[in-house]
Amino acid sequence: MKLKWGILGCLLILLTVSAVFADSSSSTTSGSSSSTSSSSSTSSSSTAVDQAALVYVSNVSLDNGEYFPGDDGILTVTLTNSGTTAIGLEDPTLISTHLSTQSDDWVGMSFVGAGSTVTYSIPFAVKPPCGTYFALFTINTQNGNSIHYPVKIKVSSNTLEGAITSKPTSFAPEAEQNVTLTLLNTRDGDVKNVVITPEGSGTDANPSVDLVSSVSAGTSSDVTFGITPHQGTDITFNISYQVGDNVHYTDVDLPITVGQDKTAAVPVVNNVELTSSGATNEITGDVTNAGISNAYGVTVTVGSPAVASGTYPVYAIGSIASDDSGSFDVTFTANDLSAVPLIVNWKDSSGNDYNITKTLNLATSGAAGSASSGSSTTKTSSSSGSSDPTGGPGGMSGGPGGMGGPGGSSSSSVTSLFSGSKGGGIAAFYPVIGAAVLLVAGIVLWKKRNWVLAKVHKKQ
């Protein structure tokens, strides 16, 4: 009996100890679980903060350095993840009271991997007025704070300026002359795809349209057009250009005044002489350029009813610079020497053809005769080859370009004192020179007569 009670007591003691041990184990497990939960919460909080710190803005660019009020633009932003795990990003936007933006282009979460980058392009529209503004780029992270970055945007109404920097003092009709248009970019950003189109009735432009791919900020570009006027008029150079993807326009006007070109070459014929040998006649002389510009491709010949023939039917002088001259020698046949048209042809620097015609009276006995009235200067368009009835440089009969010098006259004298010599006009003064020498010698002898007589008597 005592043995049974002893066994029962031992069992009660074991049950008590087991209960105490179980309660202690439960308390320890609960504490461990609580500690684990606290650690997890702390880790999650640390991750939320780190995501915003690990992603940074690595590049920002605008499609143009300066915008017009009302222009559309694009902001491009690149973000880099410097962490070791992927990070979620969402809702990139650009915030400013001076801009209108569309945030619907980027919807939903996008992820950037560890060490990788992601790029966002955000379109916007610029509101007036002009000035420099700071917009705020912002984007949210999945489990962290938002990322912000300021962006400077310039708004200006400065345009692409155009100006005529080179043109003739006046335009000769039916002759192509160069006009230089200078484009000046006064903006902070580049302009591109500049298209220039000259328009105006009564004129031809070469080229009819021109393109300048770009003009950098603060620089200029020259464009040259060949303008051929048919009448007095105005030309408008219509200029279109792009700022970013926005197209803008400006115009430059050029009045076309048709008249005598004050800078043109003015060939003047001098020292004309005639030599005849049987049926063949020969004219020699000089052509002097009394104008400001050079005369190119100068040739001399005769016109109807005279017939150019023989050794030099057309004499090529070549180029004659301003204030310079060249000689010519033309051979021809003619039944009537009282009306021999002498024709001088030349070109300007643009290749336009000009000519002057002077009708000579070479029938004077023993001399070259004189030039009759009725000389004229004509200008021929290189494209059509037709004569300009109003005249080119030198104008009509008697103007600059006619023989006898600038200004001309209705009649000019071209005389040779010795028809038998070529270009020997000075020989006509030999008798005068001889007489002058004898006169001077006589005067000297008369004043020195006493001294001479004394010398003679002394020798005797």
Side-chain angles (χ1 to χ4, degrees):
M1 187 67 180
K2 290 180 178 181
L3 180 60
K4 291 181 179 179
W5 283 108
I7 294 171
L8 181 62
C10 289
L11 290 174
L12 289 174
I13 291 171
L14 289 173
L15 289 174
T16 302
V17 171
S18 178
V20 171
F21 180 81
D23 183 65
S24 175
S25 177
S26 175
S27 175
T28 301
T29 303
S30 175
S32 175
S33 175
S34 175
S35 176
T36 301
S37 175
S38 175
S39 175
S40 176
S41 176
T42 301
S43 175
S44 176
S45 176
S46 175
T47 301
V49 173
D50 289 344
Q51 281 191 349
L54 294 175
V55 177
Y56 64 92
V57 176
S58 56
N59 186 63
V60 175
S61 64
L62 293 164
D63 63 333
N64 196 60
E66 192 174 57
Y67 298 91
F68 282 94
D71 274 359
D72 294 326
I74 296 177
L75 171 69
T76 302
V77 180
T78 300
L79 300 173
T80 300
N81 179 6
S82 62
T84 58
T85 60
I87 296 176
L89 303 172
E90 62 180 348
D91 299 331
T93 188
L94 190 61
I95 302 172
S96 174
T97 58
H98 300 284
L99 303 176
S100 298
T101 60
Q102 296 179 352
S103 58
D104 297 339
D105 291 345
W106 294 95
V107 178
M109 183 75 66
S110 57
F111 289 86
V112 54
S116 299
T117 61
V118 61
T119 299
Y120 298 95
S121 295
I122 303 176
F124 61 87
V126 179
K127 299 179 182 178
C130 298
T132 300
Y133 308 109
F134 285 90
L136 186 66
F137 168 78
T138 181
I139 190 169
N140 299 323
T141 60
Q142 182 181 18
N143 296 313
N145 297 322
S146 298
I147 300 170
H148 306 289
Y149 194 91
V151 179
K152 184 169 70 172
I153 296 177
K154 294 182 178 181
V155 183
S156 173
S157 294
N158 291 339
T159 63
L160 177 69
E161 300 289 340
I164 303 298
T165 54
S166 177
K167 67 181 182 66
T169 53
S170 61
F171 289 82
E174 307 303 329
E176 181 180 288
Q177 292 170 284
N178 289 335
V179 171
T180 300
L181 173 67
T182 298
L183 304 172
L184 176 61
N185 184 5
T186 61
R187 300 181 60 79
D188 286 343
D190 298 348
V191 298
K192 61 183 181 180
N193 297 332
V194 183
V195 179
I196 309 105
T197 306
E199 294 184 354
S201 59
T203 60
D204 294 327
N206 181 31
S208 58
V209 62
D210 206 347
L211 170 67
V212 178
S213 59
S214 66
V215 182
S216 300
T219 65
S220 62
S221 179
D222 292 338
V223 184
T224 299
F225 291 88
I227 304 299
T228 304
H230 308 298
Q231 63 185 34
T233 183
D234 289 341
I235 288 182
T236 300
F237 292 92
N238 296 322
I239 305 170
S240 67
Y241 59 97
Q242 285 183 269
V243 176
D245 291 331
N246 306 279
V247 180
H248 296 274
Y249 303 90
T250 187
D251 296 331
V252 177
D253 294 326
L254 173 64
I256 300 296
T257 303
V258 176
Q260 174 186 333
D261 184 2
K262 297 178 181 179
T263 65
V266 182
V268 178
V269 179
N270 295 308
N271 299 327
V272 175
E273 295 183 2
L274 171 67
T275 302
S276 298
S277 177
T280 302
N281 300 290
E282 183 177 11
I283 298 178
T284 61
D286 301 324
V287 176
T288 301
N289 182 4
I292 296 177
S293 300
N294 296 342
Y296 301 94
V298 181
T299 62
V300 182
T301 187
V302 295
S304 180
V307 178
S309 61
T311 307
Y312 303 112
V314 177
Y315 195 90
I317 298 177
S319 298
I320 303 179
S322 175
D323 294 331
D324 201 357
S325 62
S327 299
F328 66 87
D329 187 341
V330 177
T331 54
F332 67 98
T333 59
N335 294 327
D336 183 7
L337 293 178
S338 63
V340 178
L342 186 68
I343 304 173
V344 180
N345 301 282
W346 75 96
K347 298 178 182 291
D348 63 13
S349 58
S350 299
N352 298 300
D353 294 320
Y354 299 88
N355 67 74
I356 59 171
T357 300
K358 200 70 174 182
T359 302
L360 306 178
N361 181 1
L362 305 176
T364 304
S365 175
S370 61
S372 65
S373 62
S375 65
S376 65
T377 301
T378 60
K379 172 174 51 294
T380 304
S381 171
S382 58
S383 59
S384 64
S386 61
S387 296
D388 173 21
T390 62
M396 291 295 290
S397 173
M403 294 197 311
S409 63
S410 61
S411 176
S412 63
S413 176
V414 183
T415 305
S416 171
L417 298 180
F418 284 80
S419 61
S421 62
K422 300 178 183 179
I426 192 172
F429 296 97
Y430 288 166
V432 178
I433 294 172
V437 171
L438 292 176
L439 178 61
V440 171
I443 293 173
V444 171
L445 291 174
W446 173 256
K447 289 187 176 183
K448 299 292 184 178
R449 64 186 184 281
N450 294 330
W451 180 80
V452 173
L453 290 175
K455 290 290 185 180
V456 173
H457 287 307
K458 185 177 180 179
K459 288 182 179 182
Q460 290 180 350

